[in-house]
Amino acid sequence: GLNRINTYTVSRATQGLADYLNSLPAGQEPKKVAIAYDTRLYSDQFAEMAALVLAANGIKALLFSDIRPTPMLSFTTRELGCAAGVVITASHNPPQYNGYKVYGPDGGQAVSPLVDDVVEAIKKVDIFSDVKTMGAEEALEKGLLEYLAPAADRVYLDQVRTLSLSRPNVNLKVVFTPLHGTGLVYIPELLTGLGCVDLHLVDEQSRPDHRFSTVKTPNPEDPAALDMALEEARRSAADLVLATDPDGDRVGTAIRDRSGNYVILSGNQVGALLIEYICRRLSEKKQLPPDAAMIKTIVTGNLGRRVAESYGLQVIETLTGFKYIGEKMKEFIEQGSPQFIFGYEESCGYLSGTFVRDKDAVIASYLIAEMTAHYKEQDLNLLEVLDQIQARHGYHAEDLFTVELQDISEADRHVAAYRDLPPEFGGFKIVEKRDYNTGQGWDLTANREFALTLPRSPVLHYSMEDGTWFAVRPSGTEPKVKFYLSAPAPTAETAREKLTRLKEAVLAAR
C-alpha cells in the first residue's frame, strides 16, 4: 500500500526527487545522484529501481554494486559532486522495516527547505502514470547508470586514516560484530591496519541476513544485541567489543575491566571519552584550533560538554537527529568558523572529521580501538579513564527509557502530561523549561520567557537547579515515547541516588 515501502513507493519517491532536481538550473554536466543500500530485504532491488528512474529522467545514477555503510554514501555524494544522494536503509530498526533516505549535495541528510521541496515534488507524482523508468542495459549504454568502482572505497579509507592521533605499541584484542550489516565492508580492514589489533569476528553475525536472525533487533544501543560478541570476548579475553548496526552508522562498545567482566558503555560515555581523547591528543600535538567546536543534541548528556569546554571548545546544541549536526557543520564551513572537531548523540552516533556529514560507525570504531590501545599502553582501560574524567567534571548518572505505543498518534498525549509541571518536582527545583514545539523557553529563576532558536519539534526539556535534567519526545521512526534523564553529582553514588529519585518522579507524572 501507499504507507509501506515497496516498488511503487520507491519509484514515486525517486520520480519526485528527479522532478525536483530537474527543476534546478542546469549545469555544464548532467546532474548525478549517488545510491547506496544495506543488507535489508529488497534493499538492492529498491536501489536499482531508484537508479533506473533517475536515469529515465536524464540524471546519472552512481550505484554501488554491493552493500555499503550509510556514511560512505554521505562521503561519495560530496566527493563526486552529486546533486543528491539516496540510501536504502532502516538503520537499526527491526527487520520488518526498510526506508529511503535523501542526502543533499553537501553530504548531509536532507533538512528544510530541501526536504520540504522534495516532499512537495513527490506529492505531485501519480504513482502509476507519472513514473518514468528504463532498463539497466539502456541506462548503461546511454551513460546514465554507472556502477561505482572500488577506487571510491580507497579514497574514503585513506581519509579515515588521516584521523589517527596515535600509534600505540601494544596488543589489543578486539571482538567485532557487524550484526549482519554493512560494518563488515570496511571496519575489519581498518582495525587490523592499526597494527596493534588482534581482531576476532563474530562469525555467525558476519554474514548478511535481512532477518537479523541472531538478535531480537540489530540495534547496538540494545545490550542484548551484544550478547554473541560478549560470548566471543569472554572466550578470547578481549579488551574491547564493538558492534555496528546494519547501515554502519552507530556503534556499541563494551570494555573488559580489571576483574575480567565486561561493561557496556553508553553513547554519552563513549562520546565523552572520544572528545577527551581527541582534544588531549590535538593539544599535545599543538594542533587544537583556537576556534574549535563540538556539536551535541539537546538530549545528549553534559559530561562531553564539560570535557569540551575544559579544552576551550565552543559547544553547540541541535535537535535530536544527526541531520541537524550535519546542517551545523555546513554552516561552519560557509561562515569560515568555528572549526568542527567532534559531534555526537547519545544513541551511539559519533563523527570526527568533515569529509562525512553524518554519524559514522566506521570512523568511530577506528578511533575507539585506537583510543583503547593508546590508554592500554599507559596501563589504563576506558572505564578507568572515564572515572578520571568524571572525577574532574562530575559523575553523570543517566538513563533512557521508552513507552511503547499502539500508534504514534498517541504520543502527543504522553508528552502533554509533562507540559505544566510544578516548580518543585520530585524534590528538585525546576529552573528552566524549554518547549521546542512552541519555540518557547522559560527561565523560572528570573521569571523570564525567551525564544528558542532551534526548529519546532515535539520535545519538552526541564533543567533543575543542581544540573539534573530530563526530556521527553516521541520517537522519530517508531511508535514510542522516549524519556532522557541525567543527574550529575560529585560522587557516583550520589548521582545514582538522584537519578533514581528523578525517574520515580517522571514515572509518577505520566
Side-chain angles (χ1 to χ4, degrees), residues 333-350:
I333 298 295
E334 291 172 346
Q335 296 166 1
S337 183
Q339 291 195 51
F340 174 81
I341 294 296
F342 186 65
Y344 77 112
E345 54 187 3
E346 49 70 39
S347 53
C348 300
Y350 320 97

Side-chain angles (χ1 to χ4, degrees), residues 275-328:
I275 190 62
E276 165 68 25
Y277 173 67
I278 290 168
C279 287
R280 179 178 289 267
R281 294 298 291 144
L282 288 176
S283 295
E284 289 170 351
K285 294 169 179 282
K286 303 198 181 322
Q287 294 174 357
L288 187 64
D291 61 341
M294 184 189 83
I295 309 174
K296 63 182 280 292
T297 70
I298 58 174
V299 297
T300 297
N302 284 327
L303 180 58
R305 169 191 282 277
R306 303 286 177 261
V307 172
E309 289 175 342
S310 73
Y311 284 96
L313 270 65
Q314 180 182 350
V315 178
I316 293 96
E317 287 194 332
T318 68
L319 289 177
T320 307
F322 224 91
K323 60 185 178 182
Y324 297 112
I325 293 178
E327 183 182 33
K328 276 292 175 189

